[in-house]
Amino acid sequence: MRAAFALLSLTLVALLGATVFREDRAEWKKYQSRFHELVASREKDPAKARTIRATSPAIHQIYNPEIGVVDRCPTCHLGIDDPAFAKAKQPFATHPPGYLDRHPPDRVGCVLCHDGQGLATTVAGAHGRVPHWNRPLLEGAARESACARCHAGATVPKAPVLSQGMRLIDQAACVACHDISEVPAREHVGPDLSRIGDKVDPQWLLRWLSDPHGYLARTMMPNFRLSPRDAAAIAAFLLAQKGGPLAPAPEPPRTAGASLELGEAVFKRSACTSCHPVAGKGGHDGRLGPDLAHIGDKVSREWLATWLRDPRRLQPHSRMSAFSFTEEDLGALVAYLTRALTTPVSERRRPSRALPAAMGSEREIARGRSLVVELGCLGCHPIEGLGAPAKAGPDLSRVGEKRVEELDFGHTTGVPRTLAGYLERKILDPRAFGAGLKMPYFGFTQEEADAMTVALLSFQRSPLPRHYRAEKPEPVGPPLPEGPAGVVARRYQCFTCHALGGRGGTMAPDLAEEGSKVKGEWLRRYFAEPTHIRPEVKESMPHLGITPAEVDTIAAWIALACVSDRVPPDPLGGRAPDAALVEQGRAAFDEYGCAECHKPGGDGPDLAQVGARLEPGWIYALVQEPDAFVRGISMPDLDLGSDEALAITAYLASQR
């Protein structure tokens, strides 16, 4: 018994000694010793350097029970808030600027944004590179996925990849097939197919269903990899959808003998390529409107004329502006679109197969209807007579919380066994993980797949109380004024291109402060005859044919509602600027080299008549704080004093 007791005692002493020895050689102590040596080496006072080197090692812990943070990352990351370590190697490097001031580590810790295992004190453990820990340290662009824990909405500050992924998820209408609580519901993103039989050529429809990206490389319409038989059945069902607004149709425009030169002029005057690419060239982002290179192969002239007269007659939710074309201009434009923008006869390929004889049969139409429902087409395209669709895919609201053990990688090779690896492959190759999967192919690029993966990883429950979260979700859809101004804005779809306070389109300037920015008389002339103001911007305001009464309505609304208190009153007091002050401003304008950009053909807008266009108060505010008044502007901040800013304002206000 004594021998057993002695052996047990020796074992306990050995274990205790091993523990003490291991703790004495702990990784975190080595890092602290290296850090103190680094600090001491920069200290000029020898006595202070010795004191620093003699600093006893200690665990540094952040504890916030309100959000469940127990974080020991600062034990090794000792230089995160010291600018002196900006160029140091990890783990001592200073945290990138612009974050810690709004995300104080002593309050929110590190793992809340970076993941990893806050309680651990080894490198592998703290970074979460250990078995059974499902939230390893986020690296690269994946770090941005954590921003959504505080920041809701489609655009997150300092998170460009996450923001791009959220935009792509919205553009691709993922919510048509998947419930995603983090993404606002939206109306149908695809056109109403209730009368598509009156619109499209049957051969075109078959080719489109078989390979959408073969017709439009950047379309968001996915490829379902349909068999020839299934494509023919769906085409049969869609071609049977006829009637409605085209029956009876307005008097068709006269296209026989119409001038193609006039049609091309109307096409250019209407700035069609601001929204629509032609053979891949033009278009805001390649996806706002369909490519028109072969529109003549696709649609009938009757449908096209009805569409151009009033897009919302055929598609109530269309974002296209209504243009006030004369009948002569309309006929010429239809002729140009259907004759000039079509595949030349000499280049047309013979149809790969004749239209199946059974396409018109009731049986084939019924089978096509079933396929349309089964494949989830109704999530993007409304069809009269078919009810609201069931979601075809799984709920993705919490997909960022999925554990790797829950994922089925099938027999794939070369796919990292991580949630990010799974999601990326699923986006690029939706049917890679097994036979029988139905998710279609969108043709996303690697960059797009990476951005969408980051966005999907962000779909998690927020661990934070509501008062910690930075922003509320953005409102859905663009704002619209009430009353007569709203009627004009809806007719011309102003907020397809323009935003109002950050909501709406991104192609054209935000109108929230337009009434404080531009002069009313200039605005009325601009509506009547739009001019290209910024040469570096390819898109331009179309000539919509707005009536004088409509111009007065929308201009009065802008002058009344689109104003800002941060734009000061006219610093020139409403008077013509003094000649001496103008000359002083001209000298400053030349001294700072402003004319290098603001000249005909330069990168900035032409300022030849800027005094007739912009309010002096806006100019005065803009030259002092360019970034604060125009998003994404490349104009440098010259750090002007008020006197110099006033002189430049006087000079520019004199340019009429």
Side-chain angles (χ1 to χ4, degrees):
M1 179 66 72
R2 288 180 179 177
F5 183 76
L7 180 62
L8 179 61
S9 298
L10 288 172
T11 302
L12 289 174
V13 170
L15 290 172
L16 179 61
T19 301
V20 171
F21 178 78
R22 186 178 65 179
E23 182 59 26
D24 187 60
R25 297 174 62 85
E27 281 183 300
W28 65 270
K29 290 186 177 180
K30 294 179 183 179
Y31 284 118
Q32 286 199 0
S33 177
R34 283 169 49 192
F35 181 78
H36 294 147
E37 179 61 36
L38 187 59
V39 175
S41 68
R42 300 179 179 185
E43 179 56 60
K44 296 180 180 179
D45 186 333
K48 289 183 179 179
R50 286 193 297 271
T51 301
I52 293 171
R53 289 188 175 96
T55 303
S56 298
I59 294 287
H60 298 277
Q61 178 169 288
I62 298 167
Y63 178 54
N64 185 340
E66 185 180 19
I67 56 176
V69 165
V70 182
D71 195 327
R72 294 172 180 170
C73 302
T75 298
C76 294
H77 293 275
L78 294 161
I80 61 169
D81 58 354
D82 188 342
F85 291 89
K87 296 183 179 180
K89 295 182 179 180
Q90 290 292 11
F92 308 135
T94 306
H95 196 286
Y99 292 91
L100 297 187
D101 54 340
R102 296 188 179 184
H103 307 80
D106 60 344
R107 186 167 178 233
V108 299
C110 302
V111 295
L112 187 66
C113 294
H114 293 275
D115 278 351
Q117 189 176 194
L119 282 169
T121 55
T122 65
V123 174
H127 292 183
R129 314 289 188 211
V130 291
H132 313 301
W133 189 259
N134 201 48
R135 300 182 69 168
L137 188 72
L138 294 168
E139 295 183 315
R143 296 189 192 105
E144 295 183 13
S145 65
C147 299
R149 295 169 190 173
C150 294
H151 299 271
T155 303
V156 178
K158 297 195 175 186
V161 178
L162 171 61
S163 299
Q164 180 191 10
M166 294 296 288
R167 286 193 298 272
L168 286 166
I169 286 173
D170 180 61
Q171 289 174 358
C174 297
V175 291
C177 290
H178 302 276
D179 284 317
I180 308 177
S181 59
E182 294 84 354
V183 179
R186 57 179 300 181
E187 294 179 347
H188 295 98
V189 295
D192 191 321
L193 302 182
S194 300
R195 281 97 191 167
I196 191 174
D198 291 317
K199 173 182 178 182
V200 300
D201 175 80
Q203 281 288 0
W204 176 90
L205 182 59
L206 265 179
R207 292 195 299 271
W208 171 255
L209 292 171
S210 300
D211 182 15
H213 297 102
Y215 178 74
L216 293 180
R218 296 288 292 163
T219 182
M220 276 298 185
M221 167 77 175
N223 190 337
F224 284 86
R225 305 281 174 90
L226 298 170
S227 68
R229 182 166 178 256
D230 287 349
I234 293 174
F237 170 68
L238 294 177
L239 291 171
Q241 309 307 305
K242 296 184 177 183
L246 287 180
E251 183 70 22
R254 296 181 179 180
T255 57
S259 167
L260 295 187
E261 290 76 13
L262 175 60
E264 183 177 14
V266 174
F267 184 82
K268 291 180 178 178
R269 189 173 74 229
S270 302
C272 299
T273 54
S274 289
C275 298
H276 297 274
V278 177
K281 297 179 180 179
H284 176 53
D285 59 4
R287 285 175 169 156
L288 184 58
D291 195 308
L292 300 180
H294 305 291
I295 186 71
D297 299 349
K298 174 183 176 181
V299 303
S300 70
R301 293 180 181 179
E302 292 75 19
W303 183 92
L304 186 57
T306 303
W307 173 262
L308 291 172
R309 280 191 176 101
D310 182 5
R312 273 161 297 288
R313 185 165 186 256
L314 297 173
Q315 303 286 351
H317 303 295
S318 171
R319 293 184 294 169
M320 180 168 162
S321 299
F323 289 77
S324 300
F325 295 118
T326 65
E327 285 301 301
E328 181 184 12
D329 285 352
L330 180 63
L333 181 57
V334 170
Y336 174 73
L337 292 171
T338 55
R339 293 178 193 168
L341 300 185
T342 187
T343 306
V345 175
S346 60
E347 298 178 13
R348 291 184 185 177
R349 294 179 299 172
R350 289 182 175 274
S352 57
R353 59 186 179 278
L355 293 174
M359 274 185 62
S361 71
E362 290 298 325
R363 181 178 179 180
E364 196 72 355
I365 291 173
R367 201 170 77 83
R369 176 190 176 110
S370 297
L371 284 169
V372 164
V373 174
E374 178 187 343
L375 295 174
C377 304
L378 299 175
C380 291
H381 300 279
I383 300 178
E384 196 173 285
L386 296 183
K391 299 286 185 178
D395 191 324
L396 298 181
S397 298
R398 300 289 178 262
V399 67
E401 299 174 6
K402 282 274 188 182
R403 301 181 66 85
V404 175
E405 308 90 79
E406 300 177 85
L407 305 174
D408 183 1
F409 287 85
H411 299 291
T412 56
T413 58
V415 181
R417 262 40 183 179
T418 62
L419 177 57
Y422 178 89
L423 293 173
E424 180 195 27
R425 177 58 66 89
K426 186 71 176 177
I427 293 166
L428 290 171
D429 188 1
R431 301 177 187 177
F433 299 121
L437 298 175
K438 295 182 179 179
M439 179 173 165
Y441 293 79
F442 284 83
F444 292 116
T445 65
Q446 183 65 55
E447 179 188 353
E448 291 170 334
D450 291 342
M452 294 178 74
T453 297
V454 171
L456 290 169
L457 290 173
S458 77
F459 294 165
Q460 304 176 19
R461 295 180 185 89
S462 175
L464 296 171
R466 187 168 297 278
H467 63 274
Y468 271 78
R469 301 178 202 173
E471 298 170 359
K472 296 180 180 178
E474 296 177 357
V476 179
L480 285 173
E482 300 291 335
V487 173
V488 177
R490 279 186 287 273
R491 170 171 171 75
Y492 296 106
Q493 291 294 291
C494 303
F495 297 108
T496 293
C497 300
H498 292 277
L500 188 63
R503 293 171 56 196
T506 58
M507 188 194 309
D510 193 306
L511 300 180
E513 299 177 332
E514 194 74 4
S516 297
K517 175 182 178 181
V518 302
K519 293 180 177 292
E521 53 272 30
W522 175 88
L523 185 63
R524 285 173 166 79
R525 289 196 303 272
Y526 182 75
F527 276 129
E529 193 63 47
T531 55
H532 202 162
I533 298 170
R534 299 187 65 87
E536 80 281 13
V537 178
K538 294 180 181 179
E539 297 86 1
S540 60
M541 173 84 168
H543 192 294
L544 296 167
I546 303 179
T547 67
E550 289 172 331
V551 168
D552 288 341
T553 297
I554 202 72
W557 171 74
I558 288 174
L560 179 65
C562 301
V563 294
S564 171
D565 288 340
R566 70 182 187 137
V567 178
D570 183 353
L572 302 174
R575 298 183 298 272
D578 178 76
L581 190 60
V582 169
E583 180 56 28
Q584 181 185 341
R586 185 199 61 75
F589 189 85
D590 292 343
E591 178 186 348
Y592 287 116
C594 304
E596 286 301 310
C597 293
H598 298 284
K599 63 183 179 182
D603 292 333
D606 188 346
L607 301 181
Q609 299 182 38
V610 68
R613 177 164 62 91
L614 297 181
E615 292 285 358
W618 174 270
I619 299 174
Y620 182 70
L622 177 66
V623 297
Q624 293 182 87
E625 294 185 89
D627 290 338
F629 286 87
V630 182
R631 293 182 181 179
I633 194 172
S634 57
M635 177 176 163
D637 189 337
L638 301 175
D639 195 24
L640 300 175
S642 57
D643 290 344
E644 205 166 23
L646 180 62
I648 291 177
T649 299
Y651 170 65
L652 294 177
S654 70
Q655 303 304 301
R656 291 177 174 270

